[in-house]
Amino acid sequence: MRILHTSDWHLGRSFHRVSMLDAQAAFLDHLVATARDREVDAVVVAGDVYDRAVPPLSAVELFDRALHRLADSGVPTVMISGNHDSARRLGVLSGLVERAGIHLRTDPAGCATPVLLTDAHGDVAFYGLPYLEPALVRDEFKVAKAGHETVLGAAMERVRADLAGRDAGTRSVVLAHAFVTGGTPSDSERDITVGGVASVPSGVFDGVHYVALGHLHGAQTLTERVRYAGSPLAYSFSETTHRKTMWLVELGPEGEIEAERIDCPVPRALARIRGTLDELLDDPGLLRHEESWIEATLTDPVRPAEPMARLAERFPYTLSLVFDPERGDDDPRSSYAQRLAGRTDQQIAEDFVAHVRGGSGPDEVERAVLRGAFEDVRVDATAREVTP
C-alpha cells in the first residue's frame, strides 16, 4: 500500500505578517497532484490542519477545496487534530464526510477504532490518535498521572488490543501528534511541556508497522517505522535549513517499509544574515540572498539610522531585524533578550525569585508551585481554545 504522509499544514498562518495563503494553496495543489500521479492509496495528515482553534474563513475554504479534490480523486484520506486545532470543530460533520472517503479522527475515545483500507495483500488498519492534552484526557484513559507518555501509552494499549483481535496478517498504521524523544524542534512549534517533560519515547508505539507523526516542523526519521513529515512550509527562520517534504511510504505485504521524500513547493528561500549594516550592504557574497526572505542580525555597537529602510534597498524581502551588538557577556549593556535566550519560563521565574531574595532561589516545594502555576495556565488556555 502506498501512503502519502504529511502534517502541520497550519492553514491560516502567516510568516512575519506575510500571508501564506497562496503558498498553502500551492502546496495543496501539489499534494493532490502527487496523490494522483504517484497512484497513492491513502493520504494521512498527522494534525495541525489549522493554525488556531478558530481559523479564518479563507483557511476553512482552502481546507474545504482540498477535501473535495481528494474525495473527487478517490484517494482515501485519514487525518487527526493537532494541538493547534480545535478537535471538536474539526470533527464537525466527520460522519458525513466519511462517506466520501475523508476520515477525521478527533475524538480520543475513538482512537482504537481504525479506518480499514484493503489492498491485494489484505487489510491495513489506520488508527488516529488526535493530540492528547494530558490534563483533558486523563479521565478518558483512566490514568492516575496526567503526562504525555502516560496517556499516549494508554491509547496505544487500546490500539494493540484492537489489533490483536484482527486477522494475523493485518498491517497497522498509527497517526499521532506528539513530541517524540529524538526529534529536533524548531521555533515555530507551540510548547506542549507537561510537568517539565515534553517528549515521549518512541517505544510507546511498539507493535505497529508505521507511525506517521506530526507536531515537529522538520522532516525526521526517528526509526525506520517512526517518522515526522514536518510542515510543508517554513513558519520561522529557525527552519532556514529545512528541506520541506512529504513522505511517500510503501507498506509491503509483510509490513516492510520503503520511504521516499517528496519535495514541497518553496514560495521563497529563507536566509539569516549577520554583520554590521555596512557589511551586509557591501558583501558580494550575499548576492544570492537578495530575493530571499531575510532575517538580518545587526552587530553594530550603536544602532544605525533607518536600518530597515537601508536594508530593504538591497534586500527588499527583509522581514525580521534583530539587534545583537558584539559585546562581552559581562558588559552591562548586554540585552535582556540575550540574557533570557534559551531559558524556559520556569527557569526565568526561578531566576526572578533568586533576584528579589538577593540570591536565594526557590526550594523544591516552591519550584513545584511554580510548575503547577505554569501548567494550569497552559491547560486553561488549551481548554478555552477547544471549547465551542
Side-chain angles (χ1 to χ4, degrees), residues 139-284:
D139 292 339
E140 166 63 34
F141 292 106
K142 298 178 173 59
V143 295
K145 183 179 179 181
H148 288 298
E149 183 175 356
T150 305
V151 296
L152 269 172
M156 282 302 301
E157 286 299 321
R158 293 187 185 184
V159 168
R160 283 186 282 266
D162 180 83
L163 196 55
R166 298 187 178 275
D167 291 342
T170 302
R171 290 156 292 163
S172 53
V173 175
V174 165
L175 288 72
H177 196 86
F179 187 174
V180 178
T181 304
T184 302
S186 60
D187 292 344
S188 56
E189 300 122 5
R190 182 180 296 168
D191 181 30
I192 59 171
T193 301
V194 174
V197 178
S199 64
V200 299
S202 60
V204 164
F205 300 104
D206 285 351
V208 297
H209 293 101
Y210 184 70
V211 181
L213 292 175
H215 180 57
L216 299 185
H217 287 183
Q220 300 169 58
T221 301
L222 304 186
T223 73
E224 179 191 27
R225 300 186 181 277
V226 181
R227 299 171 189 262
Y228 279 101
S231 61
L233 298 166
Y235 291 115
S236 77
F237 279 101
S238 67
E239 300 169 54
T240 298
T241 60
H242 286 191
R243 174 188 167 197
K244 296 300 185 180
T245 59
M246 302 177 285
W247 284 111
L248 183 61
V249 177
E250 294 271 3
L251 183 63
E254 303 298 325
E256 314 96 307
I257 293 290
E258 291 186 12
E260 174 189 352
R261 292 179 72 178
I262 305 294
D263 288 295
C264 296
V266 178
R268 190 175 297 278
L270 272 60
R272 280 176 153 169
I273 59 177
R274 179 185 178 90
T276 67
L277 180 57
D278 287 341
E279 288 171 346
L280 298 184
L281 295 177
D282 296 338
D283 186 353

Side-chain angles (χ1 to χ4, degrees), residues 24-363:
Q24 290 167 343
F27 159 69
L28 292 173
D29 289 345
H30 174 66
L31 169 70
V32 173
T34 300
R36 180 189 63 242
D37 297 345
R38 300 299 295 268
E39 299 181 340
V40 167
D41 299 300
V43 171
V44 298
V45 186
D48 282 353
V49 173
Y50 293 120
D51 189 56
R52 57 182 186 266
V54 184
L57 180 59
S58 56
V60 177
E61 291 173 338
L62 190 58
F63 179 57
D64 180 63
R65 290 198 298 271
L67 294 191
H68 274 85
R69 294 173 66 190
L70 286 167
D72 289 344
S73 67
V75 180
T77 301
V78 184
M79 59 178 60
I80 60 173
S81 49
N83 62 300
H84 280 251
D85 299 309
S86 167
R88 294 179 67 177
R89 288 189 178 93
L90 186 63
V92 169
L93 300 180
S94 59
L96 183 62
V97 299
E98 188 148 1
R99 301 178 190 176
I102 306 296
H103 307 274
L104 296 170
R105 292 295 184 261
T106 63
D107 184 357
C111 66
T113 302
V115 176
L116 288 177
L117 301 178
T118 304
D119 65 7
H121 306 288
D123 288 343
V124 179
F126 290 78
Y127 296 92
L129 277 58
Y131 172 66
L132 303 176
E133 173 57 54
L136 300 180
V137 301
R138 62 184 301 175
D139 292 339
E140 166 63 34
F141 292 106
K142 298 178 173 59
V143 295
K145 183 179 179 181
H148 288 298
E149 183 175 356
T150 305
V151 296
L152 269 172
M156 282 302 301
E157 286 299 321
R158 293 187 185 184
V159 168
R160 283 186 282 266
D162 180 83
L163 196 55
R166 298 187 178 275
D167 291 342
T170 302
R171 290 156 292 163
S172 53
V173 175
V174 165
L175 288 72
H177 196 86
F179 187 174
V180 178
T181 304
T184 302
S186 60
D187 292 344
S188 56
E189 300 122 5
R190 182 180 296 168
D191 181 30
I192 59 171
T193 301
V194 174
V197 178
S199 64
V200 299
S202 60
V204 164
F205 300 104
D206 285 351
V208 297
H209 293 101
Y210 184 70
V211 181
L213 292 175
H215 180 57
L216 299 185
H217 287 183
Q220 300 169 58
T221 301
L222 304 186
T223 73
E224 179 191 27
R225 300 186 181 277
V226 181
R227 299 171 189 262
Y228 279 101
S231 61
L233 298 166
Y235 291 115
S236 77
F237 279 101
S238 67
E239 300 169 54
T240 298
T241 60
H242 286 191
R243 174 188 167 197
K244 296 300 185 180
T245 59
M246 302 177 285
W247 284 111
L248 183 61
V249 177
E250 294 271 3
L251 183 63
E254 303 298 325
E256 314 96 307
I257 293 290
E258 291 186 12
E260 174 189 352
R261 292 179 72 178
I262 305 294
D263 288 295
C264 296
V266 178
R268 190 175 297 278
L270 272 60
R272 280 176 153 169
I273 59 177
R274 179 185 178 90
T276 67
L277 180 57
D278 287 341
E279 288 171 346
L280 298 184
L281 295 177
D282 296 338
D283 186 353
L286 298 180
L287 179 65
R288 67 188 187 280
H289 296 315
E290 289 183 353
E291 295 299 313
S292 301
W293 277 323
I294 294 290
E295 179 186 74
T297 299
L298 299 185
T299 60
D300 302 75
V302 177
R303 185 173 301 205
E306 300 183 337
M308 181 62 89
R310 293 168 64 187
L311 276 170
E313 291 180 3
R314 182 179 186 189
F315 306 103
Y317 300 102
T318 301
L319 301 182
S320 175
L321 187 57
V322 180
F323 293 96
D324 185 21
E326 293 183 345
R327 297 170 178 150
D329 293 338
D330 57 349
D331 190 313
R333 296 174 296 173
S334 182
S335 74
Y336 183 67
Q338 285 175 299
R339 296 198 299 273
L340 297 186
R343 301 185 68 75
T344 65
D345 290 342
Q346 176 85 13
Q347 291 169 326
I348 293 168
E350 291 180 10
D351 287 349
F352 176 75
V353 172
H355 172 73
V356 297
R357 285 180 174 172
S360 175
D363 59 26

